[in-house]
Amino acid sequence: MDAPRPEEKIRNVHPPRRRAHLVLVGASHKSAPLSILESIALPPDRVREALPELRAQARLEEALLLSTCNRTEIYGTSADPTASAAELERWMIESARGGERLRPEHIFRRFERDAAGHLFRVGCGADSMMLGETQIAGQIQESLKLAQSAGTIGSYLVRLLAAAFRACKRARSRTGISTGVVSVASATAYLAQRVFGDLDRKEVLILGTGETGALAARHFRKRRPRVLRVANRTPEKAEALAADLGAEAILLEERARALIETDIVVAATRSPEPLVTREMVAEAMRHRASRALLLIDVSLPHNIERSAGDLENVFLHDMNDLRTIVDQSLSRRMKELPGVHQIVNKEVEGFFLKESAIEAGPLIAELRARFVEVRDRELERSLGRFREEDREAARRLAEDLTEKLLRGPIREIREASQRADGGAEPLLWVRRLFGLGSGSEEKE
Amino acid sequence: MDSLLAFLNHLLPVLLAMAWVNYSVYFVRRDPFAQRTATPFLLFTTTLQAVYVGLLGAVYRHHLMASIFEVFSVIALALNAVYLIVETRHRNKSMGVFILPFSALLQLVSSAWISPSREIDPILRDPLFGFHTGSAAIAYSAFLVSAVYGAMYRAFYRALRARRFGLVFERLPSLEVLARMTLGAASVGFAFLSLAILFGAVWAARVVPSFWKDPKFLLTALVWIIYGAAIVSQRLLKQASNRTIAITLAGFLVMVVSFVSLHLFFPTFHEFGG
């Protein structure tokens, strides 16, 4: 039988703490068409069932599955990340449903820092289709809960996610990645806020309960106006939306009277004739004293007469204005991306530094314990030879010497553990040099 | 003490210019560092200004109204103080970029030409005169703040009507908040101008019995009436904000034009020591 090579011998004698290797396999709106992403998106129940299955198949230690309409991504830790990534890719292709097939070129793989950086960017909304959106952070939180309930997540991924949330918080507070608005519906409420500030004392009237009207109503609801009214040609529809939003339903015929009290009107119907005329607005303004009136017309054809916008203290805006606001907002968010990437890179480095410190920590403690043990044993053996008044000085000398001798190796351990490869080999040599981990006695 | 005063005299315009740059960076770039530091830095600078004005008054033993340059220092201090109060109340620091150039300029002019003297007209040591001039300084500062806010309101109003969604739309406080800030500052100015007129009338009745014929008094009364009309029309008659703000801006214009022309062309008893 051949003699083992030195590295093997070291490994056999003192097995090191194995590092968790982060692996990510996924497909997103940047790598695959939406029709394919739909075919691999999983509802929460299915995610919970799939997690143990894919963990076993890909031999992952920990696993987390993030599945939204724009991305399906699996994060895991593995002893053999390349093999695990190949298995995860196979799992994704096999589990895809529907007509258009998921192919390998739709799938991306990331490892270690790249994988962590990707997660952090996703969390910040910097990888989202709607740049800077905040919903994704909640979806990551949800996937964490699912992985916890499936029992597939451990301390490493929990720490990774905590770091990701920290990075997101920092990016959102220190850059403008999530400022402004990115949809026409949210732009209606944003425009109202630019005119009136807080809406808690304002009254809002939504004309039309179609998709746009309902979306605008939901955005206004979030800003808690004093009164939110909904009107529609079909009263039942208005009542249904009002009940859903805790709003007040009125008849469309009551709109002229409602204009007197209302501060913001959003018109979103398909009426071929204007529902709000200049005369109606002029009459309302006579009763409104000093209060301004904001009219937002998102209908085609227009539902509010253009000339109503010429009246004093009346602000009339339409779909084009809202699109301009959205476009400007998106272009500003684009400009914030370099700042977000800078924060993400810093946070990723910070995460891996902490991880390496966690891994180096037990070794440093072991090394210190060994030095202290030798020092105390020698002191016990030798102190009796000193005069009573010299013993304290001798003890202090021994302690100082121990600390000074430890300083160099500890620094080296920390530096080695912070290297990209985790410093496995140097750490093994430290264990061998100082006889750690085997319980062997130091040779004098 | 003189060397400390000289040091502060040189330092204050620099600090105010720095504060203005900080507010500008915040306004244009929404820079987080500028956001964190703008208000504390201005507060520190304003405190130093107060120390400077207080020391100047204590050392030279008179109210700082002996020359136009002393007045400028007091108005710069009052301007910053009024601005800080409005900023804190409305929790919006977007307007510092428009207010601070005025206080920095006033302080710079004052620092460049101020030459306080212990030999002054004894009336400048009268406490009633101190209340009169102090109230007037606060009133004019508040009117200046109100005018800046009013001008911004007009700019925002026009941008909205013209459907321009640039920096004015993005960065200024909302239109309604701007209206409240404009009218709030105008109300403060009106209240202090009323006090200034009251203290001035009581004091002048003893010293200059025919004070009511003085052109400066008459123009001050006109400014008081215009601002009073604006406040009444807003609070009692519920006039639309854009009209009320137009009245306040007219009041400010009358104030500036009349005071400049008075200073240049008409004799007035409002000249002491300078």
Side-chain angles (χ1 to χ4, degrees), chain A residues 173-175 190-191 193-198 202 289-291 306 309-318 321 324-325 328 332 336, chain B residues 29-30 32 35-36 153 156-157 160-161 163 165-166 168-177 180 234 237-243:
Chain A
S173 65
R174 294 195 177 179
T175 72
Y190 176 68
L191 181 58
Q193 279 191 310
R194 296 305 298 128
V195 176
F196 296 111
D198 290 339
K202 301 298 167 194
S290 61
R291 288 182 300 129
R306 302 288 83 194
D310 299 336
L311 294 165
E312 193 183 8
N313 239 6
V314 175
F315 302 98
L316 172 61
H317 294 280
D318 61 16
D321 299 334
T324 307
I325 293 171
Q328 286 180 351
R332 265 195 308 279
E336 297 293 333
Chain B
R29 292 181 14 205
R30 284 289 187 262
Q35 183 176 15
R36 280 197 305 278
Y153 174 92
F156 199 166
Y157 186 91
L160 269 176
R161 302 278 285 196
R163 299 167 177 201
F165 303 103
V168 166
F169 174 79
E170 278 295 326
R171 295 287 197 254
L172 289 181
S174 71
L175 199 65
E176 200 165 284
V177 167
R180 281 207 297 270
Q234 169 73 19
L237 306 179
K238 300 287 176 196
Q239 178 74 268
S241 298
N242 56 330
R243 287 193 196 169

Side-chain angles (χ1 to χ4, degrees), chain B:
Chain B
M1 193 59 80
D2 283 348
S3 56
L4 175 62
L5 280 172
F7 173 69
L8 288 175
N9 188 40
H10 287 92
L11 182 65
L12 284 172
V14 177
L15 290 181
L16 283 168
M18 285 166 69
W20 176 62
V21 170
N22 215 5
Y23 272 95
S24 306
V25 170
Y26 169 70
F27 183 80
V28 177
R29 292 181 14 205
R30 284 289 187 262
D31 182 76
F33 178 77
Q35 183 176 15
R36 280 197 305 278
T37 55
T39 310
F41 188 75
L42 180 60
L43 195 62
F44 168 73
T45 306
T46 308
T47 309
L48 271 191
Q49 262 185 308
V51 169
Y52 169 72
V53 167
L55 280 178
L56 212 57
V59 168
Y60 293 96
R61 294 172 180 279
H62 65 263
H63 311 301
L64 295 179
M65 297 289 159
S67 73
I68 191 76
F69 305 114
E70 291 185 3
V71 174
F72 279 6
S73 261
V74 176
I75 291 184
L77 168 64
L79 199 58
N80 287 346
V82 170
Y83 169 72
L84 279 169
I85 291 166
V86 177
E87 181 192 298
T88 310
R89 187 160 173 217
H90 292 279
R91 286 184 224 146
N92 191 305
K93 52 183 81 183
S94 299
M95 298 302 290
V97 62
F98 302 107
I99 300 289
L100 290 182
F102 290 98
S103 61
L105 188 69
L106 286 167
Q107 187 59 57
L108 180 70
V109 172
S110 168
S111 293
W113 282 286
I114 197 167
S115 56
S117 165
R118 288 182 177 84
E119 302 303 319
I120 51 148
D121 192 327
I123 60 169
L124 289 174
R125 295 201 170 100
D126 188 331
L128 204 54
F129 180 78
F131 287 126
H132 163 66
T133 52
S135 303
I138 294 172
Y140 295 140
S141 308
F143 287 149
L144 178 53
V145 171
S146 167
V148 172
Y149 288 157
M152 290 303 117
Y153 174 92
R154 298 291 303 170
F156 199 166
Y157 186 91
R158 284 181 186 177
L160 269 176
R161 302 278 285 196
R163 299 167 177 201
R164 288 193 304 266
F165 303 103
L167 212 58
V168 166
F169 174 79
E170 278 295 326
R171 295 287 197 254
L172 289 181
S174 71
L175 199 65
E176 200 165 284
V177 167
L178 272 174
R180 281 207 297 270
M181 284 171 152
T182 309
L183 296 167
S187 302
V188 170
F190 180 73
F192 276 94
L193 190 62
S194 307
L195 286 177
I197 291 173
L198 186 70
F199 288 130
V202 173
W203 170 79
R206 289 184 324 205
V207 186
V208 192
S210 60
F211 71 89
W212 53 272
K213 290 181 191 164
D214 181 66
K216 193 162 188 176
F217 173 80
L218 292 172
L219 281 165
T220 305
L222 177 63
V223 170
W224 185 82
I225 288 167
I226 294 174
Y227 274 98
I231 289 161
V232 167
S233 78
Q234 169 73 19
R235 304 247 156 127
L236 301 181
L237 306 179
K238 300 287 176 196
Q239 178 74 268
S241 298
N242 56 330
R243 287 193 196 169
T244 314
I245 287 168
I247 300 173
T248 64
L249 286 172
F252 185 75
L253 202 66
V254 168
M255 186 181 96
V256 173
V257 171
S258 61
F259 282 14
V260 169
S261 54
L262 267 179
H263 193 71
L264 295 176
F265 307 117
F266 294 96
T268 165
F269 76 87
H270 276 87
E271 299 286 348
F272 309 100

Side-chain angles (χ1 to χ4, degrees), chain A residues 157-213:
Chain A
L157 283 184
V158 167
R159 286 198 301 275
L160 179 73
L161 287 176
F165 291 129
R166 216 169 27 246
C168 300
K169 200 174 164 192
R170 194 160 290 176
R172 289 189 205 283
S173 65
R174 294 195 177 179
T175 72
I177 188 69
S178 298
T179 56
V181 286
V182 284
S183 72
V184 166
S186 58
T188 54
Y190 176 68
L191 181 58
Q193 279 191 310
R194 296 305 298 128
V195 176
F196 296 111
D198 290 339
L199 302 183
D200 53 353
R201 290 184 192 171
K202 301 298 167 194
E203 301 195 6
V204 181
L205 170 63
I206 309 285
L207 299 175
T209 56
E211 191 183 347
T212 312

Side-chain angles (χ1 to χ4, degrees), chain A residues 229-261:
Chain A
R229 293 191 187 91
V230 182
N232 197 60
R233 204 170 288 283
T234 315
E236 293 75 27
K237 286 187 180 172
E239 278 160 19
L241 182 62
D244 188 26
L245 294 173
E248 190 184 306
I250 64 167
L251 296 171
L252 197 61
E253 292 71 30
E254 293 175 311
R255 64 189 182 280
R257 195 172 49 80
L259 278 178
I260 297 170
E261 298 302 321

